[in-house]
Amino acid sequence: MEKYRQIVFTKPCVAELLEKELPELAPTQVAVKTVISSISCGTERALASGDPNVSIAVAEGIEVKFPRTSGYSSAGVVLAVGSAVNDLKAGDRAAMCWSCHSEINVMPRHNVYKIADSVDFTSAALCHIGTFPLAAIRKTKLDVGESMMIMGLGVLGLWAVQLARIAGAVPVIAVDPVKERREKALALGADYAFDPTEADFVQKVKEVTCGGVNTVIEVTGLGVGMDQSLDCMKKFGRIALLGCTRNKEFHIDYYRKVHGPGITIIGAHTDARPKHESSDGWFTAKDDTESILKLIAGKRIDPSVMIDAVYSPEDCGEIYDRLCNDRSFPAVAQFDWTKLD
């Protein structure tokens, strides 16, 4: 049986590149040889460190067990297809959704998307991650000319900056305490970039938006991030909660910050979407993925410019030790599986 290698968290903050046996393909499965896989820092830090809150499908209080795996946004080349798959073939270039950091991914057909020759693997490997902020922006019902603030500039926030701009948000306001991330957001199209730790942060936001922002994508997942977002909003504003709030111990003055000004709070987890049919503001994963790929192929957006670092999977032990313990870890990083011996 053919062997392949996969990154596995064997215990808290310890990652190893382990050899596994390739299973036989089911009729509706596709085997893809991975070229690039993207690191989603927030989710993967939680998984690697043993945080219990990594899935809304997992009941509260469940004991955390290792080993764990991760790496849900990748791209590569189709190796083989199951007997019931007739619209993909070996050699096709593909983007993968809900994949793993693995040399070969065996995927359900519906999570594999053929990509155009004009779409590079680096960009395609960020496609699935890009569907998360795209869904959040859709849910705010952003109108052309409305303002949008992105709170938190990791990979999701940087994606949101670019998508907000092409969706017609004016101004696009990027917020993060890290100077380098703010500078990067400006380079990607943000009109303003502010530090939320500054005493006059809220005043600055209200000055550039004539009284407050219409829409917010909250990506920090922190209570303080949501609280500050609410402080910055215009009456009847809409805030999409995209970042995973893994710690529920925070308090909001809902009476004064939500109830009184008529703020709409929208759950924007990527699983909070229809399964089969898109409608206004509520798109399926398939439609959002195809939208992202069309934007890349049409040169409307270039995700590859977000990349800060590229690593070999063989260095995964060091990489995940840094991710767990160093908050200055790059915002957008990938594994290049062609670097394997």
Side-chain angles (χ1 to χ4, degrees):
M1 184 174 286
E2 186 175 351
K3 306 282 188 179
Y4 69 99
R5 288 162 289 183
Q6 180 176 359
I7 296 173
V8 179
F9 306 139
T10 53
K11 56 185 178 181
C13 297
V14 175
E16 299 181 58
L17 188 64
L18 302 181
E19 191 174 77
K20 301 210 167 187
E21 292 185 345
L22 190 66
E24 184 176 340
L25 278 184
T28 58
Q29 288 182 322
V30 178
V32 182
K33 186 173 180 62
T34 307
V35 175
I36 300 288
S37 61
S38 299
I39 298 174
S40 180
C41 292
T43 297
E44 297 196 43
R45 182 181 290 113
L47 278 163
S49 64
D51 193 313
N53 294 320
V54 292
S55 172
I56 57 174
V58 176
E60 187 176 3
I62 294 295
E63 181 185 358
V64 174
K65 295 182 179 181
F66 285 85
R68 288 174 141 186
T69 60
S70 189
Y72 53 77
S73 192
S74 310
V77 179
V78 175
L79 283 177
V81 300
S83 59
V85 177
N86 55 21
D87 54 352
L88 279 177
K89 64 183 185 303
D92 284 344
R93 302 165 72 252
M96 293 176 276
C97 303
W98 303 121
S99 52
C100 291
H101 289 307
S102 182
E103 189 175 12
I104 296 174
N105 273 280
V106 175
M107 309 282 296
R109 167 64 188 91
H110 64 268
N111 284 340
V112 180
Y113 293 81
K114 186 175 179 180
I115 59 176
D117 290 341
S118 60
V119 177
D120 59 273
F121 287 121
T122 296
S123 295
L126 286 164
C127 173
H128 182 48
I129 295 177
T131 65
F132 299 10
L134 176 59
I137 290 170
R138 292 193 198 276
K139 288 176 182 179
T140 67
K141 304 292 183 72
L142 173 75
D143 278 331
V144 174
E146 286 192 305
S147 54
M148 175 167 279
M149 183 172 76
I150 293 90
M151 179 68 80
L153 300 175
V155 62
L156 294 176
L158 293 171
W159 253 118
V161 165
Q162 298 173 87
L163 292 168
R165 183 177 178 86
I166 62 176
V170 181
V172 176
I173 303 165
V175 180
D176 198 283
V178 179
K179 179 183 177 182
E180 291 77 13
R181 294 188 178 191
R182 297 197 302 272
E183 292 173 344
K184 189 170 188 178
L186 290 169
L188 291 171
D191 298 293
Y192 303 95
F194 296 136
D195 182 348
T197 67
E198 293 185 351
D200 59 349
F201 163 66
V202 173
Q203 180 184 342
K204 285 181 177 179
V205 173
K206 290 190 172 182
E207 284 176 355
V208 301
T209 56
C210 300
V213 291
N214 301 110
T215 60
V216 172
I217 308 297
E218 205 300 302
V219 200
T220 70
L222 301 174
V224 65
M226 181 179 176
D227 202 30
Q228 286 186 301
S229 296
L230 291 170
D231 287 338
C232 293
M233 300 196 78
K234 187 170 288 187
K235 195 172 184 179
F236 310 132
R238 293 93 69 198
I239 176 171
L241 302 183
L242 178 59
C244 293
T245 48
R246 304 189 196 282
N247 183 352
K248 62 184 179 182
E249 300 302 325
F250 60 86
H251 302 279
I252 299 293
D253 184 352
Y254 289 98
Y255 182 66
R256 292 174 177 80
K257 296 188 179 186
V258 178
H259 189 191
I263 302 301
T264 300
I265 300 175
I266 309 157
H269 190 281
T270 191
D271 284 343
R273 57 165 82 238
K275 295 293 185 185
H276 303 294
E277 187 172 353
S278 297
S279 60
D280 184 26
W282 297 85
F283 273 49
T284 64
K286 179 178 184 293
D287 286 345
D288 272 347
T289 302
E290 291 178 346
S291 294
I292 292 286
L293 287 172
K294 284 190 287 186
L295 289 169
I296 298 170
K299 308 299 182 185
R300 304 295 181 89
I301 198 166
D302 181 6
S304 67
V305 301
M306 292 193 290
I307 303 299
D308 296 309
V310 179
Y311 306 113
S312 168
E314 292 179 323
D315 298 326
C316 64
E318 174 192 349
I319 299 310
Y320 282 102
D321 179 70
R322 286 179 54 206
L323 177 62
C324 288
N325 298 298
D326 182 359
R327 288 291 170 169
S328 65
F329 190 86
V332 188
Q334 294 182 323
F335 287 112
D336 182 346
W337 290 83
T338 68
K339 292 179 179 288
L340 284 179
D341 293 334

